[in-house]
Amino acid sequence: MATEQISKETVRASSVREGSRVVVIGGGPGGYEAALVARQLGAQVTIVERNGVGGSAVLTDVVPSKTLIATADWMTITESAEELGIKTGADHFPVDIERVHERILDLAQKQSDDIRGRLDAEGVTTLDGTGRLGPTHDGVRTVLAETAEGELELHAEMVLLSVGTHPRTLPEAVPDGERILTWDQIYDLRELPEHLIVVGSGVTGAEFAGAYNVLGSKVTLVSSRERVLPGEDAEAAELIETVFARRGMNILAGARAAGARRTEHGVVVSLTDGREIEGSHCLIAVGSIPNTSGIGLEEAGVALTPSGHVQVDRVSRTTAFRVYAAGDCTGVLPLASVAAMQGRIAMYHALGDAVAPLDTRTVSANIFTLPEIATIGVTEQDIRSGKVDGAITRLPIARNPRAKMLGLREGFIKLFSDRSSGVILGGVVVARNAGELIFPVTLAVAHRLTVDQMAQAFTIYPSLTGSLTEAARQLHTERN
Ligand SMILES: Cc1cc2nc3c(=O)[nH]c(=O)nc-3n(C[C@H](O)[C@H](O)[C@H](O)COP(=O)(O)OP(=O)(O)OC[C@H]3O[C@@H](n4cnc5c(N)ncnc54)[C@H](O)[C@@H]3O)c2cc1C
């Protein structure tokens, strides 16, 4: 973030008064959540959105992928069916992928329509078009919106950029929407990929590889690093690799894709070491590029990072007067929850309400592999390296009575606390529904609760959260 680079002039951008005009470019979570706050604070708000409100988060990224994974999640339940006394046969629950994909696209569109309805009801004007920053006249910002009816010039006391990103591709692996795909094209498939080659083993690649594998595709995961999910808790990533391998996934570690080409009936992915892998389809999941070029940012004095992201400070100000930015286009943390928070913070700040600057240390994140990996706060690596003076405890899920009843074996809970005060600093949950289970730890980190405070709270018996309080008790023992 660029706190030190924000000019003094921009400090005056706060306290824009009630009745001010706000224009938001981009209607994803960064944009539409901000628009709702701005309306609440009495501003006139226009969103310029070129694809559909809800943004990529709703139409192509979060909602579709998590809907896909919801089906895959049900399929994993069959893994412990026999143990639980449920009779299963070969191919007992065949997947109708056409129906799965239809449901995904339908649900995403309905979610976008719901958001549009809410924005309309709150009095936000939504313009279908492409926006870019125009010149400033007497301190008033202009936004030029290219719509079906022609170009409109909008005037605003404050502009929020929340233009998101688009999938990065490889020059030698050009997506064709049929065999070589980005994640926003895969739901158009009418048949389950027989052999899906996923290029990229970050969060997106791992989630898709895991889901299609469970749904019945043969999957090869091409990972340029030595293990999947680089940068995540090492033990969690190792566990996911073990689960993937048990389910039959082929993980090519330390393999960098050079390109992908179509064959008569499928694709061939070539690696930089000369190897070639044949499959039916290839999914490119190698990151995202911010949608920040060609929309007048540099001309307006909005500084970009070398990667093309918009520089912002902790209250979402850019380097340009009365221009704020939120979400993935800022490169702060690519999460819908963070985009929405940055957008709200921008409005609170610009419209003169009380505002707490963004604190990324309290952001929880979840990787929807099956099992899921949820994290919050400091990492085990921070503690082991001496960067943080913390205590660590770890409990395997398999020891939890509720997990035994549910037939869950794979996963663990880790809790990290400050060695002297006992304040909870972070945690990792690897389990089914870890994204739900992490919330008590998030609350503890956000409100600086101690391990004793967590340990003294009641959990349901039997429950998976019982392991959280047990971990907290263990950390108490360690401190005495
Ligand atoms: C496959 C995948 C799965 C993900 N899963 C999760 C998850 O489970 N949880 C999570 O928190 N995050 C997830 N993310 C990240 C999440 O999608 C982003 O953090 C989120 O979309 C960021 O919101 P945003 O508002 O910044 O941008 P977006 O949602 O990308 O919205 C930006 C909008 O701006 C519009 N736009 C761009 N330029 C212009 C212009 N010039 N004029 C008008 N409109 C414009 C675009 O059309 C788009 O609608 C996932 C990402 C991917 C790729």
Side-chain angles (χ1 to χ4, degrees):
M1 280 191 276
T3 318
E4 61 292 341
Q5 290 169 41
I6 302 300
S7 70
K8 284 198 182 107
E9 195 186 19
T10 59
V11 176
R12 288 190 273 117
S14 58
S15 300
V16 175
R17 279 170 295 281
E18 175 153 337
S20 314
R21 293 159 299 180
V22 168
V23 174
V24 177
I25 308 181
Y32 75 76
E33 288 284 349
L36 291 171
V37 167
R39 278 300 297 144
Q40 199 178 28
L41 298 178
Q44 297 171 37
V45 188
T46 304
I47 295 182
V48 186
E49 167 54 57
R50 65 183 181 195
N51 286 338
V53 287
S56 310
V58 168
L59 289 166
T60 56
D61 298 356
V62 189
V63 172
S65 63
K66 266 74 262 186
T67 310
L68 175 84
I69 291 167
T71 299
D73 187 26
W74 279 103
M75 302 291 291
T76 64
I77 296 174
T78 62
E79 289 179 352
S80 32
E82 274 185 37
E83 181 190 339
L84 271 65
I86 302 165
K87 285 187 187 165
T88 56
D91 214 15
H92 201 72
F93 297 104
V95 168
D96 177 352
I97 202 68
E98 194 168 349
R99 175 76 198 98
V100 173
H101 285 174
E102 264 172 27
R103 174 172 182 263
I104 289 168
L105 296 175
D106 192 45
L107 199 148
Q109 189 53 53
K110 285 200 175 114
Q111 180 67 10
S112 172
D113 295 344
D114 284 352
I115 295 168
R116 180 91 183 217
R118 169 92 197 278
L119 291 170
D120 289 349
E122 299 291 342
V124 175
T125 304
T126 308
L127 281 181
D128 299 323
T130 300
R132 69 190 150 89
L133 275 182
T136 306
H137 300 304
D138 298 328
V140 175
R141 285 266 162 211
T142 60
V143 168
L144 305 170
E146 198 65 55
T147 70
E149 286 78 42
E151 188 172 271
L152 299 176
E153 186 175 285
L154 307 171
H155 296 232
E157 275 69 49
M158 185 263 194
V159 175
L160 178 73
L161 307 166
S162 47
V163 290
T165 59
H166 62 274
R168 190 164 88 82
T169 55
L170 302 171
E172 301 299 322
V174 182
D176 60 9
E178 290 178 358
R179 296 280 174 181
I180 303 172
L181 306 154
T182 55
W183 59 77
D184 50 357
Q185 297 172 328
I186 199 160
Y187 310 111
D188 292 330
L189 296 183
R190 293 284 153 254
E191 283 172 11
L192 191 67
E194 196 182 319
H195 179 186
L196 181 66
I197 303 167
V198 178
V199 175
S201 64
V203 175
T204 301
E207 286 187 352
F208 277 106
Y212 279 101
N213 191 207
V214 166
L215 293 173
S217 294
K218 178 180 174 191
V219 172
T220 298
L221 181 58
V222 179
S223 170
S224 61
R225 310 290 271 273
E226 281 316 310
R227 67 168 168 77
V228 301
L229 298 170
E232 300 299 330
D233 181 272
E235 218 177 331
E238 264 167 43
L239 190 145
I240 291 302
E241 275 193 4
T242 309
V243 173
F244 280 177
R246 174 173 58 71
R247 292 183 182 142
M249 192 188 297
N250 180 22
I251 301 172
L252 297 179
R256 191 171 284 276
R261 64 176 192 279
R262 280 185 73 147
T263 57
E264 196 181 344
H265 299 296
V267 287
V268 170
V269 173
S270 48
L271 306 182
T272 49
D273 62 11
R275 279 181 290 170
E276 293 201 323
I277 316 145
E278 281 184 50
S280 64
H281 297 80
C282 170
L283 175 70
I284 309 285
V286 291
S288 299
I289 296 176
N291 297 322
T292 50
S293 63
I295 55 169
L297 301 191
E298 278 113 330
E299 298 87 322
V302 176
L304 302 180
T305 66
S307 58
H309 292 95
V310 179
Q311 287 186 9
V312 286
D313 65 6
R314 289 176 58 212
V315 290
S316 309
R317 287 177 296 186
T318 71
T319 50
F321 184 53
R322 288 187 177 170
V323 181
Y324 289 66
D328 283 14
C329 68
T330 68
V332 171
L333 270 180
L335 290 170
S337 53
V338 174
M341 189 65 86
Q342 284 180 293
R344 290 187 209 108
I345 287 174
M347 290 305 160
Y348 291 134
H349 189 267
L351 299 173
D353 203 347
V355 61
L358 182 73
D359 182 358
T360 50
R361 290 170 308 180
T362 60
V363 176
S364 52
N366 194 44
I367 304 173
F368 290 77
T369 41
L370 303 165
E372 298 174 1
I373 304 173
T375 49
I376 167 77
V378 305
T379 64
E380 179 164 352
Q381 175 62 18
D382 289 336
I383 296 173
R384 299 232 179 260
S385 66
K387 191 173 143 198
V388 172
D389 185 23
I392 302 168
T393 193
R394 178 190 183 284
L395 286 175
I397 278 286
R399 240 175 66 182
N400 177 290
R402 177 80 172 145
K404 286 179 191 156
M405 295 165 202
L406 293 167
L408 304 177
R409 286 203 191 77
E410 285 152 335
F412 57 80
I413 281 172
K414 281 183 192 173
L415 207 56
F416 312 129
S417 62
D418 183 87
R419 201 176 285 281
S420 54
S421 66
V423 166
I424 294 169
L425 300 175
V428 180
V429 178
V430 182
R432 185 147 193 262
N433 292 335
E436 311 284 348
L437 295 171
I438 197 75
F439 187 60
V441 190
T442 306
L443 261 185
V445 172
H447 298 288
R448 299 189 56 75
L449 302 183
T450 64
V451 287
D452 293 343
Q453 284 170 317
M454 181 180 275
Q456 282 156 14
F458 280 95
T459 53
I460 300 294
Y461 181 81
S463 67
L464 298 179
T465 45
S467 290
L468 286 175
T469 45
E470 191 186 336
R473 281 195 297 277
Q474 286 191 355
L475 284 171
H476 171 81
T477 311
E478 283 189 11
R479 289 194 300 120
N480 287 312

